[in-house]
Amino acid sequence: MENKIKIEGQALPNMPWEDRPSGCKSVMWRFSGNPIIGRDALSTSNSIFNSAVVPFEDGYVGVFRCDDTNRRMRLHVGFSKDGIDWDIEEEDLNLVGGDDEIAEWVYGYDPRVVWIEDRYYVTWCNGYHGPTIGCAWTKDFKTFHQLENAFLPYNRNGVLFPRKINGNFAMLSRPSDNGHTAFGDIFYSESPDMEFWGRHRHIMSPAAFEDSAWQCMKVGAGPIPIETSEGWLMIYHGVLRSCNGYVYSFGSALLDKEKPWKMIARSGPYLIAPREIYELAGDVPNVTFPCAALHDPDTKRIAVYYGCADTVTSIAFGYIDEIIEFTKKNNIL
Ligand code: BMA
């Protein structure tokens, strides 16, 4: 059955990849060279994590969350030939053209990047009287044209779909608070023009503790959803509150193609949870936080980029058909 799954997207035969290690029984596995980006990649960086990557020209480009040694949250552009070795610019990303009222940079973090029709769009958690969803577009990753913030504060994890749905731009987001939000559901919104957002629909609440504890406190969208014949594959993070603090893992769900606020399946077990030392130890221990994925429709390979312990960046691999099968087999809906 899985062999018949059709996956949309640009062919990426040379995407980063490493075969499943022998003896590994899990659906996703980690790159042996993790972490791929260390905290000191820039002269002024405290940490580089929760970042976005897309194909660009004959390689890849990324928008990286770089917290500096003042612990200011900034976005930096980086380029790579192979998606693994990155050259990140020392200067932070510069926005142009934003309305004066919102153009002043306060902070920005957890970026996502997607190509829609004729340009790349960047969304991020943008400081404007608290966190909300900032938006910009670019064609060359040199000039970023700022658009209006998508929502009122407080909101995080704004993730665009890679095509219009029902003729509109479509975005996932997670209304939140101004702190470390101990709640959070994923919502869906549409916009005709990337400025005015409406038709808000609820997708997903945290799971019941008894069913799937890793996602029982809050959930938030991760990489750009991937369109398949089985529905949109949404990889998202979930949070467990332990006696020792929050634990961030990630898992998968399938959403209806034309009504993405309708879930088809949601997996109980996680795909990746903090386990390796670089995920367990860092500025915020026990965090695996995905913000991007590369995939190749023909081979069904996926490489998920995720932040580790709010300090460094890593990759995990898998096959999209296997993740879909896993999601359906372990459905908790
Ligand atoms: C969330 C966001 C993420 C971060 C996570 C764990 O609220 O701020 O950027 O990775 O907390 O600290």
Side-chain angles (χ1 to χ4, degrees):
M1 195 272 301
E2 314 88 85
N3 293 335
K4 296 208 191 82
I5 290 175
K6 190 165 176 298
I7 299 164
E8 302 296 330
Q10 165 188 349
L12 277 185
N14 297 321
M15 62 176 268
W17 184 252
E18 201 172 64
D19 283 334
R20 179 183 263 123
S22 62
C24 166
K25 296 194 183 79
S26 55
V27 194
M28 294 200 78
W29 59 97
R30 293 162 174 84
F31 178 46
S32 60
N34 278 352
I36 59 162
I37 302 170
R39 63 188 309 163
D40 294 329
L42 296 178
S43 63
T44 57
S45 56
N46 168 77
S47 41
I48 304 179
F49 59 110
N50 299 6
S51 298
V53 164
V54 285
F56 182 66
E57 295 177 346
D58 59 347
Y60 303 93
V61 68
V63 175
F64 293 89
R65 169 173 177 175
C66 302
D67 294 4
D68 69 14
T69 45
N70 294 36
R71 299 299 297 263
R72 292 176 298 199
M73 299 182 280
R74 298 277 160 89
L75 303 179
H76 290 240
V77 174
F79 296 91
S80 172
K81 286 275 177 249
D82 61 5
I84 293 172
D85 287 322
W86 287 88
D87 186 9
I88 303 178
E89 294 177 349
E90 288 280 347
E91 280 293 305
D92 62 325
L93 170 162
N94 198 14
L95 296 168
V96 301
D99 185 275
D100 283 350
E101 177 63 29
I102 60 158
E104 188 198 344
W105 181 263
V106 181
Y107 54 75
Y109 61 90
D110 299 359
R112 273 67 166 192
V113 180
V114 62
W115 172 266
I116 309 174
E117 293 182 348
D118 63 348
R119 64 194 68 192
Y120 296 93
Y121 291 91
V122 186
T123 55
W124 68 96
C125 183
N126 191 34
Y128 179 72
H129 302 274
T132 184
I133 307 304
C135 301
W137 65 266
T138 185
K139 294 198 175 182
D140 55 9
F141 288 88
K142 293 190 180 91
T143 309
F144 292 83
H145 304 264
Q146 189 175 14
L147 302 167
E148 287 295 314
N149 293 324
F151 306 114
L152 292 168
Y154 311 117
N155 202 315
R156 292 183 172 99
N157 301 301
V159 179
L160 286 162
F161 283 77
R163 68 163 169 86
K164 288 180 176 168
I165 296 175
N166 309 316
N168 290 322
F169 292 95
M171 202 194 294
L172 304 165
S173 76
R174 212 281 303 288
S176 62
D177 67 15
N178 199 10
H180 299 295
T181 321
F183 61 89
D185 292 19
I186 301 176
F187 285 81
Y188 169 90
S189 307
E190 290 187 1
S191 169
D193 54 6
M194 279 296 294
E195 178 163 356
F196 297 97
W197 291 88
R199 301 187 67 85
H200 311 293
R201 300 288 182 270
H202 180 262
I203 300 183
M204 180 190 276
S205 295
F209 174 78
E210 297 77 8
D211 291 339
S212 183
W214 66 267
Q215 50 177 326
C216 74
M217 197 189 81
K218 56 177 165 174
V219 287
I224 303 304
I226 295 171
E227 186 169 13
T228 79
S229 51
E230 306 293 300
W232 292 101
L233 174 63
M234 177 178 78
I235 292 177
Y236 64 98
H237 69 260
V239 182
L240 164 81
R241 182 168 21 204
S242 77
C243 61
N244 231 352
Y246 292 179
V247 179
Y248 283 72
S249 309
F250 58 92
S252 52
L254 284 171
L255 311 178
D256 183 89
K257 290 227 294 188
E258 299 312 318
K259 294 182 177 164
W261 56 92
K262 301 218 180 286
M263 264 192 292
I264 297 166
R266 172 183 191 174
S267 120
Y270 56 70
L271 291 168
I272 294 280
R275 192 169 283 201
E276 297 297 326
I277 192 69
Y278 51 87
E279 300 163 345
L280 301 171
D283 285 348
V284 182
N286 306 318
V287 180
T288 53
F289 195 98
C291 288
L294 297 174
H295 75 282
D296 178 46
D298 294 337
T299 55
K300 303 182 170 61
R301 292 172 172 178
I302 183 171
V304 174
Y305 288 75
Y306 65 102
C308 302
D310 283 11
T311 306
V312 297
T313 304
S314 289
I315 310 184
F317 300 113
Y319 288 102
I320 291 176
D321 51 348
E322 292 184 8
I323 295 172
I324 289 175
E325 174 84 354
F326 164 86
T327 310
K328 288 179 160 180
K329 199 170 99 199
N330 296 292
N331 186 11
I332 55 167
L333 295 181

